[in-house]
Amino acid sequence: MRAGISHQFDEPALTVHYRAEGRHEYSVLVFLPSMKPLDLFDPERKGRLKLYVRRVFITDEAKILPGWLRFVRGVVDSEDLPLNLSREMLQHNPVLEAIGKGVTNRILADLGKLAEEDKEKFGAIWEAFGPVIKEGLYEDAERRDALYKIARFKTTTGGKGWRSLSDYIAALRPNQTAIYYALGEDAAAILASPQLEGFARRGIEVLVLADAVDAFWVRTALGFEGKPFQSVTQGAADLDTIPVAEGDAAAEEAPAGAVATLAALFKQTLGDKVSEVRSSSRLSTSAVCLVASALGPDRQLEKLLARHDQVKMKSPPILELNPTHSLIKALAGKAVAGGASDALGDAAFILYGEAQILDGERPDDLADHAARVGRLLEKGLG
């Protein structure tokens, strides 16, 4: 029966079967497959529910569920709709809209119940369909709070398991006021990001967001339980008030004035390649990193939009310097002392190129980057 209705031959991960009575009467038998359908990421994002009216098949193209539930399969049998439904009536029918709202809310409620009662089974559903369900965080403002409660994430401190936002809030560090996240193309690249170093040093959990939709829903995310979402690669990190993890001794920093002098020299050298050069609290082992302005888009979102020609010109990033790094200390000392302008100029471009590489990009001019590295190596060996 199920295979004939949905062309799915796997065991259902969740079955929803009920009859609604009251203002509208209809019966529902739908299920979430345990395997991803082949058309899960079909650009048209069509649903696959079959609509019946008093047990007479009408269509399998009625838009009953939102796009973020397009993997749900099954049937809906209405007692109220007329049998002679036209295509126009299907698109703008208040009865069908009410049915869709009721079925959507019921599926969401059952998913929430499963998440509480059987974490392993729900985890398997999220593994298969989480990237699609998260589209609702971007598109479905009415159900965003309910979706936040069932959403699961991989994090920098959660190992291989899934973590809920409630789990995250329960693990907040002293003086932590935001839910931090990191965007990227895959989890391995995100975990290698230098921007995470200062957060790891303070034991701060960071959401690892590697699905393409993540770059979009976080833009509209106001927060969860009073805590705003904040990118680790955007704006100021403001980590100074959060204590470092126990046993992690504070590293000695270069004098603030010397770092400021170096930053000013680097900005003058790099020109409009960067919008600002400044000292960083988010770095602990790397010398430099790139971050986005607090007012502009996250760098990962900007990259995604650029691939689809929705951004004609990328915003110049901010270059941050690690005041505890031995190289930055040495360069800051030379900047204050004056002289060695050629070497400092080369260092500015080389470190900017290094920051681009760490950010998953390539230096703007590979030949120039290689030549500058070669000059510094030659001087060091001379």
Side-chain angles (χ1 to χ4, degrees):
M1 173 70 175
R2 178 169 51 80
I5 292 174
S6 64
H7 304 292
Q8 292 284 137
F9 297 91
D10 54 311
E11 289 299 316
L14 176 67
T15 301
V16 179
H17 185 199
Y18 70 99
R19 178 174 176 79
E21 297 180 340
R23 185 176 179 183
H24 301 293
E25 294 188 9
Y26 56 93
S27 299
V28 177
L29 174 58
V30 299
F31 73 95
L32 280 66
S34 56
M35 295 173 58
K36 297 178 184 179
L38 295 176
D39 59 357
L40 183 61
F41 293 103
D42 185 336
E44 295 185 4
R45 304 194 315 152
K46 288 184 178 180
R48 294 294 186 269
L49 288 191
K50 296 182 181 294
L51 175 65
Y52 286 73
V53 174
R54 295 185 290 281
R55 299 189 178 184
V56 176
F57 175 70
I58 302 299
T59 182
D60 56 5
E61 295 185 356
K63 187 178 179 181
I64 299 174
L65 296 178
W68 54 271
L69 283 176
R70 59 185 175 274
F71 52 88
V72 175
R73 303 293 196 255
V75 298
V76 173
D77 187 6
S78 170
E79 296 291 334
D80 305 324
L81 289 168
L83 287 169
N84 58 341
L85 273 169
S86 65
R87 184 179 295 273
E88 290 73 20
M89 290 177 67
L90 281 172
Q91 291 177 346
H92 306 286
N93 189 288
V95 174
L96 194 60
E97 289 175 3
I99 291 173
K101 184 175 182 179
V103 178
T104 300
N105 290 341
R106 178 60 181 265
I107 292 172
L108 195 52
D110 283 7
L111 281 172
K113 186 177 179 182
L114 182 66
E116 294 296 323
E117 296 179 353
D118 193 334
K119 289 181 169 55
E120 183 176 347
K121 191 172 184 179
F122 180 80
I125 291 176
W126 191 263
E127 186 79 42
F129 304 112
V132 177
I133 296 174
K134 282 190 290 186
E135 292 175 10
L137 293 173
Y138 177 63
E139 299 173 345
D140 200 336
E142 180 183 347
R143 298 180 180 88
R144 190 169 294 153
D145 289 341
L147 286 168
Y148 279 149
K149 292 179 180 179
I150 69 166
R152 296 294 184 267
F153 303 93
K154 294 298 174 72
T155 73
T156 54
T157 63
K160 296 183 179 180
W162 292 104
R163 299 271 285 170
S164 68
L165 290 176
S166 294
D167 294 332
Y168 185 101
I169 294 296
L172 289 177
R173 295 281 290 139
N175 301 325
Q176 183 180 344
T177 59
I179 298 171
Y180 292 104
Y181 65 86
L183 294 167
E185 294 188 358
D186 59 75
I190 293 173
L191 293 172
S193 301
Q195 294 92 339
L196 290 174
E197 294 170 359
F199 296 87
R201 186 164 175 259
R202 292 166 174 81
I204 300 171
E205 186 172 22
V206 177
L207 305 181
V208 176
L209 305 183
D211 295 319
V213 69
D214 290 325
F216 295 93
W217 72 259
V218 292
R219 296 182 70 198
T220 60
L222 298 178
F224 180 78
E225 294 188 8
K227 304 296 182 184
F229 291 90
Q230 183 173 332
S231 171
V232 302
T233 63
Q234 187 173 23
D238 296 328
L239 298 178
D240 293 334
T241 61
I242 302 176
V244 297
E246 188 175 347
D248 193 337
E252 182 180 352
E253 296 186 0
V259 176
T261 299
L262 180 65
L265 189 152
F266 274 18
K267 175 64 177 96
Q268 183 180 6
T269 302
L270 294 171
D272 59 6
K273 290 183 178 294
V274 295
S275 61
E276 183 184 353
V277 181
R278 68 190 182 195
S279 181
S280 177
S281 65
R282 78 184 87 217
L283 293 170
S284 63
T285 57
S286 298
V288 291
C289 73
L290 295 176
V291 298
S293 164
L295 301 178
D298 184 277
R299 285 179 57 74
Q300 180 64 16
L301 174 60
E302 195 171 49
K303 291 176 187 177
L304 285 171
L305 295 176
R307 287 176 196 162
H308 295 86
D309 294 326
Q310 296 182 38
V311 173
K312 298 301 180 184
M313 185 179 296
K314 289 184 179 180
S315 305
I318 296 169
L319 177 64
E320 290 196 344
L321 312 177
N322 180 0
T324 68
H325 195 281
S326 57
L327 177 57
I328 300 300
K329 290 179 186 179
L331 291 172
K334 287 187 177 295
V336 171
S341 58
D342 290 343
L344 287 172
D346 279 342
F349 279 99
I350 290 170
L351 287 174
Y352 172 63
E354 178 183 318
Q356 289 180 298
I357 293 169
L358 290 170
D359 212 40
E361 300 178 346
R362 54 187 288 174
D364 296 334
D365 187 331
L366 289 173
D368 178 73
H369 182 79
R372 293 178 188 275
V373 171
R375 282 199 297 269
L376 279 185
L377 285 172
E378 190 175 337
K379 289 176 183 179
L381 295 172

